[in-house]
Amino acid sequence: MNAQLKPVKYSEGSQTLNGLFIKSAKKSTANPGILLLPAWLGIDNASKSIAEDLSKLGYHVFIADIYGEGNYPKNTGEAGKQAGFYKTNYEAYQKRINAALQELVKSGANADNIVAIGYCFGGTGILEAARGHLNVKGVASFHGGLGKDAARKTEPISAKVLICHGADDPFVPKEEIASFQQEMRDSKADWQMIYYANSVHSFTNPEAGNDNSKGAAYNAVAAKRSFEHLQLFLNEVLKK
């Protein structure tokens, strides 16, 4: 019997949230956990598929609901507004992420053996988890936004950081990349950034189409390589 994704109703403040949890398909006393932050449309087929794959590899996985009941975007326009709010109000984003992190622990993951991963908007979120000193051993971003307000203080980052980035992603300016890398140096983080050739935004999502000229497209080679890089990272950072 393969483990299956199960709905989990939880809350942060007065907001009701609906996440998904899938337990590890392998028994382990270390109970490693992965918190998954989805892209800006919310929990989607891509995040569910990745959670199922990670469960088979021996991880408890919780997919976070950032927006909550009554706030789910119906299109990319609404998603842009919702995601924009949390990018600007980063402390609210950190609280939503932490609420999901607590649910992952309640579901069986070891609180001191967790990595947070995120895609697009979720990739921005995992950096906020690191900046906010949430209890994660590492964070991994896939085609995520990297910037933070220049007025914000740069503090030490203890979580290990993996950035998987499309070499041709038009949505992340060179200046943002340069500022991020400087932030990593200034924060004394243990970080790595991997670029994938011929890849734009959303390169891990099979539903993103295959037209790079639109700025977001699936790239099967980059998706496979980045998942393998994630596995190397998880093997290094987490106990199994």
Side-chain angles (χ1 to χ4, degrees):
M1 282 283 290
N2 285 335
Q4 291 186 318
L5 285 160
K6 294 182 179 172
V8 178
K9 194 176 281 287
Y10 63 114
S11 63
E12 190 272 307
S14 60
Q15 179 64 59
T16 299
L17 302 158
N18 296 288
L20 290 172
F21 173 73
I22 184 166
K23 68 179 182 179
S24 167
K26 300 178 181 179
K27 289 228 182 324
S28 162
T29 54
N31 286 319
I34 295 176
L35 177 63
L36 194 161
L37 306 183
W40 67 349
L41 282 167
I43 297 174
D44 55 9
N45 291 331
S47 56
K48 291 176 187 176
S49 175
I50 290 161
E52 288 168 347
D53 288 343
L54 290 168
S55 159
K56 290 170 191 168
L57 293 174
Y59 301 97
H60 296 303
V61 187
F62 190 87
I63 309 177
D65 174 13
I66 299 301
Y67 305 136
E69 284 185 10
N71 302 306
Y72 300 125
K74 299 180 186 66
N75 51 52
T76 55
E78 290 183 9
K81 287 179 186 173
Q82 288 277 24
F85 170 83
Y86 286 101
K87 286 178 183 176
T88 304
N89 297 275
Y90 65 89
E91 289 177 335
Y93 200 1
Q94 289 169 348
K95 284 181 182 175
R96 285 287 158 89
I97 296 166
N98 196 48
L101 185 61
Q102 300 315 309
E103 291 303 316
L104 173 58
V105 173
K106 285 181 194 171
S107 298
N110 180 337
D112 297 316
N113 197 28
I114 290 172
V115 159
I117 69 173
Y119 298 80
C120 297
F121 169 54
T124 304
I126 60 94
L127 289 176
E128 289 303 343
R131 291 171 182 140
H133 311 297
L134 301 192
N135 190 23
V136 292
K137 294 295 183 191
V139 298
S141 166
F142 299 82
H143 41 83
L146 305 174
K148 75 172 175 67
D149 189 332
R152 284 173 66 185
K153 185 180 172 189
T154 295
E155 297 182 354
I157 287 177
S158 58
K160 294 180 190 294
V161 179
L162 169 66
I163 306 296
C164 296
H165 189 71
D168 301 326
D169 189 331
F171 298 124
V172 184
K174 290 177 183 175
E175 296 77 14
E176 186 174 310
I177 293 172
S179 294
F180 165 76
Q181 292 186 356
Q182 190 58 50
E183 177 195 358
M184 291 296 100
R185 294 183 183 99
D186 293 343
S187 65
K188 304 291 190 286
D190 178 350
W191 67 285
Q192 52 190 306
M193 185 166 182
I194 302 169
Y195 291 85
Y196 301 96
N198 308 311
S199 301
V200 290
H201 208 60
S202 302
F203 63 79
T204 63
N205 188 348
E207 295 179 1
N210 57 12
D211 183 354
N212 277 17
S213 71
K214 293 183 177 177
Y218 178 59
N219 182 307
V221 172
K224 180 175 181 289
R225 287 175 177 170
S226 65
F227 192 72
E228 289 171 351
H229 285 133
L230 173 62
Q231 290 177 70
L232 287 171
F233 183 72
L234 295 172
N235 288 337
E236 177 190 323
V237 175
L238 296 180
K239 298 182 181 120
K240 284 187 84 173

